[in-house]
Amino acid sequence: MTSAERREQLIDVARELFAARGYEGTSVEEIAAKAQVSKPIVYEHFGGKEGLYAVVVDREVNTLLDGILSSLTAETLADANPENRQRELIERAALALLDYIESNTDGFRILSRDSSVGQSTGSFASLLSDIASQVEGILVAEFRSRGLEAKTAPMYAQMLVGMVALTGQWWLDARRPKKSEVAAHVVNLAWNGLSKLEPKPRLLTRR
């Protein structure tokens, strides 16, 4: 193999092992053995397990983020009213995440296992924050059209993205119902809830 080919091989092998065993459960020895190379070869290319893991995670983050951002920037239904166009964007974002889970199962396992959704830092949390920033723009327009406070849009964007991400983690193993049906139910909850938002919501137990 050329140096570039060997590097790609090591990334593929490590991706599979990290997905199956997690970062802590995978050793450089195992990566080298599965790739049929010596440990020094792994260190030569990546400096060690941490460097290799960083490359794997970076690729997965870019793949998922590119897919979701592409779905949000794609042309929407030209003949739909504004409300339908906004709903379509939410549908596309939900489907983009489920598409990634379906076609990049190992990658999603790596992202979601070793970086919890609830953490303020880390690859998966940072990724969800990036996605929420894009969704925020959709919600700002929707909130303004309904006379709601646009400044609360970032908070609602985090709620929506977190809901889809957690549903995706569940669907990763369940795989039922089918992807389109899961997306339809996610949007059903998100959209129908959003369509009836109170301008000044308050908890019933703390008025």
Side-chain angles (χ1 to χ4, degrees):
M1 289 186 181
T2 65
S3 177
E5 289 171 339
R6 178 65 71 190
R7 178 181 173 85
E8 290 302 313
Q9 181 212 19
L10 291 171
I11 292 172
D12 289 341
V13 167
R15 182 178 184 269
E16 182 180 344
L17 289 173
F18 287 140
R21 304 182 184 182
Y23 176 78
E24 295 298 335
T26 302
S27 67
V28 173
E29 288 83 356
E30 289 175 305
I31 295 170
K34 190 171 180 63
Q36 297 183 330
V37 299
S38 63
K39 284 174 55 179
I41 296 295
V42 178
Y43 287 104
E44 177 185 338
H45 282 278
F46 303 100
K49 184 175 75 169
E50 183 177 348
L52 180 50
Y53 181 76
V55 171
V56 171
V57 168
D58 186 60
R59 286 193 176 191
E60 295 304 324
V61 166
N62 288 333
T63 298
L64 176 53
L65 188 58
D66 287 349
I68 292 180
L69 295 188
S70 294
S71 73
L72 294 177
T73 55
E75 184 178 353
T76 57
L77 296 173
D79 58 346
N81 61 42
E83 184 172 310
N84 286 344
R85 287 198 296 269
Q86 290 155 2
R87 174 167 178 159
E88 183 192 358
L89 287 172
I90 294 175
E91 290 177 357
R92 288 184 179 189
L95 279 171
L97 176 56
L98 294 174
D99 283 340
Y100 172 80
I101 293 172
E102 185 176 57
S103 59
N104 296 276
T105 299
D106 282 352
F108 188 74
R109 286 190 190 282
I110 292 169
L111 293 180
S112 60
R113 172 192 287 134
D114 294 320
S115 182
S116 172
V117 175
Q119 292 177 340
S120 59
T121 59
S123 58
F124 196 47
S126 299
L127 173 62
L128 296 183
S129 181
D130 289 341
I131 297 169
S133 295
Q134 301 299 319
V135 174
E136 183 181 317
I138 302 172
L139 296 187
V140 166
E142 174 66 13
F143 278 30
R144 285 175 176 165
S145 71
R146 295 177 181 273
L148 302 171
E149 292 186 5
K151 68 180 182 181
T152 63
M155 177 173 61
Y156 282 96
Q158 294 287 340
M159 294 176 190
L160 282 171
V161 172
M163 178 179 69
V164 176
L166 286 172
T167 302
Q169 285 182 301
W170 164 80
W171 188 71
L172 175 66
D173 294 315
R175 292 302 175 100
R176 290 187 179 183
K178 61 183 180 181
K179 178 176 61 180
S180 59
E181 189 174 346
V182 173
H185 282 287
V186 168
V187 175
N188 182 38
L189 174 60
W191 185 258
N192 289 324
L194 287 172
S195 68
K196 297 178 181 178
L197 286 178
E198 299 173 350
K200 298 288 184 180
R202 293 185 298 173
L203 296 175
L204 293 175
T205 55
R206 298 184 63 182
R207 289 191 175 276

